[in-house]
Amino acid sequence: MMRTPLDDFLAFTLGQETPPQQPPQQPPQQPTKQSTQGVLPSGVAWRSLGAGVLICEPAEPTAASVVLSAGIHGDETAPIEILAALLSNITNGVISLRVRLLVLLGNVAAIKAGRRYLDDDLNRLFSGRHHALTDSREAVRAAELEAALGDFFSTSLVGNTRWHLDLHTAIRPSLFERFALLPQRATPYGQDVFAWLGALGIEAALMHRSASGTFAHYSCSQHQALACTLELGKVMPFGQNDLTRYTGVANGLRRLVAGEHRPVGATLPKLFDVVASLDKQSDAFELLVGEDTPNFTAYSRGAVMARDGDYRYEVTHDEERIVFPNPRVKVGLRAGLMVVERKVLGLVGRHPICH
């Protein structure tokens, strides 16, 4: 039997030749047009549209379009392995695909190099922010991923539910091992969204109050997708991930792409509002937390978290928690988030993932 990219999507992607990167002021390259395609015995039609871009269409029409992305940071390997296993399950018939599915491996060059990124943090370059960079390889890739996402959603049926899960692992340990970041959006997230997050084993969800350059925010703002960034564990090299720790996530993704209507028995995550971004304004920036401080470490009112020249950030709520503390980011980027737990859910509306 002829093997397909779904059999081992990671090996297939890493074995592909990628075209030379062009400066972003030139028209961005589309995914390689040397596409391969085929139909599985189950009737699932697949198309490979260049390095790290794979579309799977179910045999029957569906009311849901799902995007699963990983490897936006090249050293975050566990989500890549999870998606490769998911695709293998589709090709061997373990999973019956019931949604339109786009799988993206984000920063292929960084994945090959075993690095977080080559020139710039890819997850800060979406929603057109890549246009500001003239010599960044990640800027080119951001434009390619935006194009792939736009093409996929533009061909969905009218009224199609759109969902984008961007899978990551965190640099630091976390008091909540698995957590989600939900982009700012005008329409409140419904209870079903949080039930699905709970079914994926997500313990906490952070609600953003402002726009950002993340891939999830781009999907939400430009394509009205129910999108979120999922932090699923700890950064580890290929071959060193304990995938048994990701069983709940993997099973939840299988149910999602199999078109299950709603999760059963899920524990809702705790909700946190992002109240501040600790931005690194200069090389004088100081983040006043220890190198081994876990995500979601709590601080009391009056604690000084960061200094940068005349700027200082002081905790103003009874309790705030820090997430993603990292003083070594480039000037102009976020060196940490401060969040406050939401005691009242206050959710309205319903946004089912699958129909």
Side-chain angles (χ1 to χ4, degrees):
M1 179 182 298
M2 181 180 295
R3 291 178 61 82
T4 74
L6 283 76
D7 291 296
D8 191 338
F9 188 49
L10 175 59
F12 175 80
T13 298
L14 297 184
Q16 286 182 298
E17 292 296 326
T18 54
Q21 303 283 15
Q22 298 296 322
Q25 69 266 25
Q26 298 184 14
Q29 298 179 22
Q30 298 298 316
T32 305
K33 296 304 182 183
Q34 296 176 344
S35 305
T36 54
Q37 57 187 354
V39 180
L40 300 177
S42 62
V44 171
W46 58 268
R47 286 179 292 147
S48 170
L49 300 175
V53 181
L54 183 72
I55 293 177
C56 296
E57 300 276 2
E60 301 294 333
T62 176
S65 294
V66 175
V67 179
L68 299 178
S69 55
I72 295 296
H73 295 133
D75 60 347
E76 298 176 3
T77 61
I80 298 171
E81 295 178 354
I82 291 169
L83 292 190
L86 180 75
L87 289 172
S88 179
N89 287 163
I90 291 172
T91 195
N92 62 26
V94 172
I95 298 173
S96 296
L97 186 68
R98 295 287 185 268
V99 302
R100 299 180 66 239
L101 178 64
L102 171 64
V103 175
L104 297 171
L105 297 188
N107 199 338
V108 175
I111 295 170
K112 289 182 177 182
R115 294 167 56 185
R116 186 171 178 81
Y117 55 81
L118 302 182
D119 299 315
D120 294 279
D121 188 333
L122 178 57
N123 211 30
R124 302 293 179 269
L125 300 183
F126 293 98
S127 299
R129 285 168 170 79
H130 52 81
H131 293 305
L133 300 177
T134 60
D135 57 359
S136 172
R137 286 166 284 187
E138 273 77 18
V140 177
R141 187 58 174 169
E144 292 175 351
L145 294 173
E146 287 182 353
L149 201 79
D151 289 346
F152 177 70
F153 282 139
S154 70
T155 56
S156 60
L157 298 174
V158 175
N160 213 242
T161 298
R162 299 176 175 187
W163 185 241
H164 178 197
L165 293 174
D166 187 29
L167 311 181
H168 290 252
T169 50
I171 297 173
R172 294 196 182 215
S174 180
L175 300 182
F176 299 106
E177 184 176 13
R178 291 170 294 278
F179 60 97
L181 295 94
L182 281 72
Q184 174 201 41
R185 70 194 299 258
T187 305
Y189 292 90
Q191 194 82 0
D192 285 358
V193 173
F194 294 96
W196 269 106
L197 292 178
L200 292 167
I202 300 301
E203 302 161 86
L206 280 58
M207 314 296 292
H208 275 287
R209 294 180 173 181
S210 59
S212 73
T214 67
F215 200 15
H217 180 83
Y218 172 77
S219 299
C220 179
S221 63
Q222 298 301 312
H223 299 290
Q224 295 72 56
L226 294 166
C228 60
T229 304
L230 299 185
E231 299 287 347
L232 303 177
K234 189 79 168 58
V235 170
M236 298 293 287
F238 283 120
Q240 297 185 29
N241 294 300
D242 178 3
L243 293 181
T244 63
R245 300 184 67 86
Y246 299 90
T247 300
V249 173
N251 289 340
L253 293 178
R254 291 188 184 101
R255 292 193 294 270
L256 181 63
V257 302
E260 293 195 11
H261 290 268
R262 63 185 71 246
V264 178
T267 301
L268 296 181
K270 292 180 179 292
L271 297 189
F272 293 84
D273 287 310
V274 176
V275 296
S277 176
L278 306 179
D279 297 332
K280 185 173 183 176
Q281 302 172 13
S282 76
D283 288 328
F285 178 85
E286 295 179 273
L287 187 62
L288 304 177
V289 303
E291 286 288 328
D292 57 351
T293 301
N295 288 318
F296 292 97
T297 296
Y299 295 86
S300 301
R301 185 188 299 271
V304 178
M305 305 301 301
R307 292 192 295 248
D308 197 348
D310 294 333
Y311 164 81
R312 64 186 257 147
Y313 182 83
E314 182 176 316
V315 173
T316 58
H317 298 80
D318 289 340
E319 179 184 272
E320 297 179 18
R321 296 174 182 251
I322 192 166
V323 183
F324 300 133
N326 182 9
R328 288 180 291 277
V329 298
K330 290 185 177 182
V331 171
L333 295 183
R334 178 195 74 201
L337 292 175
M338 301 302 298
V339 303
V340 172
E341 185 173 356
R342 183 185 292 187
K343 301 301 182 183
V344 179
L345 295 184
L347 304 174
V348 297
R350 294 180 65 81
H351 301 278
I353 305 307
C354 299
H355 300 281

